[in-house]
Amino acid sequence: MNRTPVKEQGRGKERRRSTAKKLKPGTATGNVFGSTNSSQPQFHPCLLLDMCHYFKQPLCPCLSSEQESSEDGDKEGEGEDEEVEEEEEEVEKEVRPETLTPEELEKLKEAVDDKKKLIQALRGKPWPMKKKHSTLRESQEFLEKYEGALGKGKGRKLYAYKVMMNKKWMKFKRDFENFTTACIPWEMKIKEIESHFGSSVASYFIFLRWMYGINMILFDNIGTVPRAEETNAMDFAVLWDFGGYAQYSVLFYGYYNSQRAIGWLKFRMPLSYFLVGVGTVAYSYMVVIRKMARNANETGGGDENSFNFSWKTFTSWDYLIGNPETADNKFASITTSFKEAILEEQESRKDDNIHLTRFLRVLANFLVLCCLAGSGYLIYFVVRRSQKFALEGFENHTWWERNEVNMVMSLLGMFCPMLFDVISALENYHPRVALQWQLGRIFALFLGNLYTFIIALMDEINLKRKEEDVVQFNMTMWEASLHNNTADNSTAPPLFTHPADVPRGPCWETMVGQEFVRLIISDTMTTYITLLIGDFLRAVLVRFLNYCWCWDLEAGFPSYSEFDVSGNVLGLIFNQGMIWMGAFYAPCLPALNVLRLHVSMYLQCWAVMCCNVPQERVFKASGSNNFYMAMLLVILFLSTLPAIYTIVTIPPSFDCGPFSGKARMFDVIQETLESDFPAWISKVFSYAANPGLVLPFMLLMVLAIYYLQSTSKSYKEANVELKKKLQMVN
Amino acid sequence: MGATASHLGKDLLSEYQELTFLTKQEILLAHKRFTELLSREDKNLPDPRAPTEAILTLPELKSNPFRERIVRVFSTSESRDGLTFEDFLDLLSAFSDSATLEIKSHYAFRIFDFDDDGTLDENDLEKLVNCLTGETDETRLTPDEMKQLISNILEESDIDKDGTVNLSEFQHVISRSPDFVSSFKIVL
């Protein structure tokens, strides 16, 4: 038995070489590197030909089927087959693990592992199903035969058990995946939209769904703070103003009191509130950055070349399109984009009239800046006016005057982008570049408005704090008067003051929360109303007035509206920014947002299918995928700034909220550290916060960034060199 | 096959799940849609093959300019006409959401290779562009534009300058594209 293996191995090697020659280098795929079919698995089972022989396996399955498909008959190979098989019959039929030497055992283990890997990689092989099937069956037989035999003696049962658990685990994973894909909400709706409108419009809805998921998680997070009974709802007007009882309800910051420990759990209310706030922000950052990294990975960055024409040819068709009208539009847009690209390439050498173009562009930017400044001033003015109204008492003013701020902000958000669109006609950019400028300007508009709003809010906060001091002063007087009264009859029962009689201080945090909620609600209402009027009403008018109108309403002006992907995505991002800003002061905001996104999904899906037509110029939104994520990240950062500023500088109200009575909100952390944790932890923290430690750490990070950047540059250069080499070789 | 055309056996179903990127529901849906394409006599055959004309009536393929090439590429018959159920599953698996970039780019290459010679030469590229620009004459490119376009494409993608784009060059270009994976999808 010891002689024959060597001989067989020799035969095996020969056979492997001869069959390798049979594989034509260009069967399915020749390539410049001269290697064989790139679809061959890395751990080629035929490397295990030795093993196959030894354990009386016939030829390895992949080679056997490839031999079948190759055209020249392999008589020599077949002859060898028969000879070897005859010899093998002399060898023992069964293999016992005890008879194997350790290296042979190792080889067997490797063979088994490789078969397992092959099975897992089978679905990614570009083979026809028959071949995959036969490979699977053969590999499974091999595994059944030898996997159980691998564990020897006592370890055998454990090994078999492990194998069985592994199988069950794979099956469970597969079932779980099936279940989760069935559970993804709105999948059919999005699929329908994809087939009618293409993947760019559908990408907006996919983004919406992702936001919904994030808000659900934020909402659950905040829900961990315990809630007592809910307050009774008041009538709608009061509720709209979020005054009255709602003010003291669970929705707002003011409800959570400042007791250090609640109930038998010793639940630390202030600390938990603070940590929940920090946690939600950290979670949001992580999710956005992870998505960006994944997008960047898929894009395969690093190569300087953009394969403009090749991409247009190979990747421009959207296979999801199932609607002939959309397909026609797509054909037209592809043709246009080809022609444009060709023209652009020719014209990039000419520059006629560059001075005129430059002047016009500068003029356009100047106009845009004026618009932005104008809108900022308008908001500031309106907020001031509403403060004046508040001082005079809201009952004297009309509904418009009461809600002026929110209405103005929403209207600005609606009309300014249209203005920017008109101005950008002056600039004469390539459409994609123009789209990016447009998005950037809308971004600046929203940001400017939001920050002006916040600055105006700061003034109100200061006003409230002055009020607080007054109330505090009054309270001490009132308490003093109480004590004076009871001091006379010391035997009388202690005075019981009804809690509602105690004068409450104004709570600026709740006021901030209220303002945000009002803003978001009015923003939502404006969006829905524009949707209904702009899209639905327009579609109805065009459809029904067309019969009695002089020109063709459907083809000319106004025609049906298209779905504005970028505008809607921006709106979604800004809404999320506002939620993040206000979430610390009004924990109900994510819940509100979940509701809002839910309604939006259904409403917009219906509107898109019913009132919109497929876009004429179909832009791939995915190219801007990372652009939207980057904006989301910037907004997240900018939204957390005001909250951080207020936490760090403004003292909390003395009378409401979990942090009342403290000088600063983050004092709660210090207190916890001092009182609840053992002494050495606070020592550790104080060392960690030492500037002597923080500065060298920051320096280290800067050095790491510099190093990584220089290595990436050197990789790019190496890439270019290799490309040149390739061309020289051929 | 261990199943009649009307019912998929359980083992076969789990094997298909192992060998494709499709979930169980997707495979069952595919089976249902496939049997609808068969004619009545064919339904009783052990391994029925749906004719190309029937497959091209599927709404997901009807508007696709590459529909005939797709059927040809995935067909395993000698005349490259018609798909069995397993071919159909292969098709859906390659076009599914969870398929890898490698397998998508491999099949995309084969679809674009109109003359099946293993490389994309100028004739293939010309036919490809004509498919993309639609059937009517108004939307087609002029011969000059076509020439310019093809030379631009070859300049970008043909790394070894042999006048054709082979599989690895194609995969190199495609892997850098942000749109390919999301647009190369067909879902029933």
Side-chain angles (χ1 to χ4, degrees), chain B residues 134-180:
Chain B
E135 311 294 308
T136 62
D137 275 328
E138 297 148 358
T139 47
R140 293 215 161 177
L141 298 181
T142 66
D144 281 334
E145 286 171 339
M146 181 69 78
K147 227 165 77 130
Q148 174 79 9
L149 178 60
I150 292 180
S151 75
N152 285 338
I153 294 174
L154 286 175
E155 199 185 304
E156 284 173 356
S157 326
D158 190 9
I159 302 179
D160 58 358
K161 305 292 177 222
D162 62 354
T164 63
V165 180
N166 58 32
L167 179 64
S168 38
E169 289 163 352
F170 182 77
Q171 281 178 327
H172 176 82
V173 171
I174 289 296
S175 64
R176 300 277 182 279
S177 157
D179 304 322
F180 178 68

Side-chain angles (χ1 to χ4, degrees), chain A residues 293-312:
Chain A
R294 216 180 290 162
N295 280 347
N297 244 358
E298 279 172 20
T299 323
D303 208 331
E304 292 293 334
N305 299 345
S306 65
F307 300 95
N308 197 13
F309 286 98
S310 310
W311 284 345
K312 276 206 215 300

Side-chain angles (χ1 to χ4, degrees), chain A residues 589-605:
Chain A
L589 275 180
L592 209 65
N593 204 30
V594 163
L595 191 66
R596 177 189 179 279
L597 287 177
H598 208 98
V599 173
S600 272
M601 183 57 138
Y602 286 108
L603 193 64
Q604 283 189 307
C605 277

